Amino acid sequence: SVLGMAFLELGRYEEAETHLRRALEIQQLAVGEADPAYAGCLSNMGALERRRGHYTDAIDLFGRALVIYRERYGDGHVYVADNLNNLGATYSARYRDAVVDPDVKPDLADLEAAEAVYTEAIRIYEAEGSGEFVAQIKNNHGALLARDRKFERAELYLRDALSVRRRIYGGSHRKVAVSATNLGRLYFLMERHAESEALLSESLKIRRTIFGEAHLKTAESAVNYALVLAELGEERWEEAAGLIEGAMGVLEENGSRRAGMGKEALGRMRGG
């Protein structure tokens, strides 16, 4: 199972499947289908199917594992929360992929199902004192809601995620930068530009400190910040243009979508 998960992380899905299925078969014979060890193998197979985009299969596998964990440990155990989290991530991924695919209609039931299982997982993680898991769920689900323009609900999730991460890590951690970025971009979409500027400036400073100027995350943060500066008036355009120009080489080298966004912003500021 460990080897199968290693192949999964490398993107070698056929080899991962061979080892993960073998581990599942071994546990089935050794401990039976009601044992947590078997449930763990089901969850690993679910992770493989989610990575492949086989979301229905992944939901079935995570759901079967969840039933086993509930029966063995009760509803408040962290293993139950982990599988609820897995289910939420799978529903979210299916919804997200449908949103960006013009040939597929997104199913709001997936978004609602994700929120339901995430809510239960958060309750368990909070009771266990697992603050980072709470923040991770709220950050990821909030970002999905923001993409779907469900701004009020997104703000609640993203503000909570940032608050938890500031409390856990202090003010200069990469995960604080992630949450500050997501909340800042939400406020940009909501045209709350002053609040967006403060958060995106914070994220940029953290990433400069951690990664340096030549890192992709820093370059993308620079463009995020520049985009909001461009909305604050012509007196900020020179600063915004400088940030975009300074980041463009790293963005283009890495094929980042932010390169195109930066070029469009430069064109608007320069009148062409």
Side-chain angles (χ1 to χ4, degrees):
S1 186
V2 172
L3 187 57
M5 294 304 287
F7 281 125
L8 175 60
E9 290 304 311
L10 292 171
R12 293 162 62 174
Y13 298 149
E14 290 185 6
E15 292 160 289
E17 181 176 7
T18 297
H19 289 281
L20 293 177
R21 285 197 181 281
R22 181 57 181 154
L24 186 66
E25 291 166 0
I26 291 170
Q27 292 297 342
Q28 184 180 32
L29 292 172
V31 299
E33 295 186 4
D35 192 90
Y38 183 75
C41 291
L42 289 173
S43 290
N44 290 340
M45 283 296 300
L48 170 65
E49 297 304 339
R50 182 173 63 203
R51 189 75 67 86
R52 285 170 155 172
H54 301 164
Y55 298 125
T56 300
D57 291 338
I59 289 167
D60 176 68
L61 288 159
F62 288 134
R64 289 166 61 193
L66 179 61
V67 169
I68 296 169
Y69 285 131
R70 284 194 196 276
E71 290 180 350
R72 176 61 63 94
Y73 299 117
D75 290 336
H77 196 277
V78 69
Y79 287 174
V80 172
D82 289 343
N83 268 270
L84 289 166
N85 191 7
N86 286 333
L87 278 169
T90 307
Y91 285 122
S92 294
R94 185 162 69 180
Y95 184 81
R96 182 191 62 235
D97 285 1
V99 167
V100 299
D101 187 340
D103 297 324
V104 178
K105 183 179 180 180
D107 188 349
L108 281 174
D110 281 337
L111 196 61
E112 293 165 359
E115 193 151 357
V117 294
Y118 277 149
T119 298
E120 186 178 357
I122 287 168
R123 177 184 57 77
I124 299 169
Y125 284 137
E126 286 179 336
E128 292 286 326
S130 303
E132 171 52 31
F133 287 110
V134 172
Q136 184 182 86
I137 290 172
K138 290 186 174 183
N139 181 76
N140 294 343
H141 193 56
L144 182 65
L145 289 168
R147 180 181 296 183
D148 206 42
R149 305 189 72 81
K150 294 176 171 55
F151 292 151
E152 290 186 6
R153 286 161 60 199
E155 183 181 6
L156 291 174
Y157 277 95
L158 294 176
R159 286 181 63 182
D160 282 352
L162 180 57
S163 176
V164 170
R165 283 178 163 168
R166 281 177 172 160
R167 185 175 68 249
I168 294 173
Y169 302 113
S172 299
H173 193 277
R174 60 184 179 81
K175 290 185 177 180
V176 174
V178 170
S179 287
T181 294
N182 284 339
L183 185 55
R185 290 174 62 187
L186 171 66
Y187 286 148
F188 180 82
L189 292 173
M190 297 172 75
E191 299 184 0
R192 292 163 59 175
H193 294 134
E195 293 164 283
S196 178
E197 179 195 8
L199 289 161
L200 295 177
S201 174
E202 176 185 1
S203 177
L204 177 58
K205 288 174 183 176
I206 293 170
R207 285 175 168 168
R208 278 174 169 165
T209 300
I210 295 173
F211 301 117
E213 291 285 353
H215 195 280
L216 177 59
K217 290 185 182 297
T218 305
E220 290 184 335
S221 280
V223 171
N224 288 336
Y225 184 46
L227 293 176
V228 74
L229 291 180
E231 298 296 325
L232 292 174
E234 293 186 21
E235 65 274 12
R236 306 298 297 273
W237 284 5
E238 184 177 351
E239 182 183 359
L243 286 166
I244 293 170
E245 290 167 347
M248 195 58 66
V250 175
L251 297 173
E252 291 180 334
E253 181 180 343
N254 287 275
S256 172
R257 290 176 55 248
R258 291 288 184 281
M261 296 167 68
K263 288 178 180 178
E264 288 180 11
L266 282 175
R268 290 195 301 271
M269 287 186 286
R270 291 171 175 168

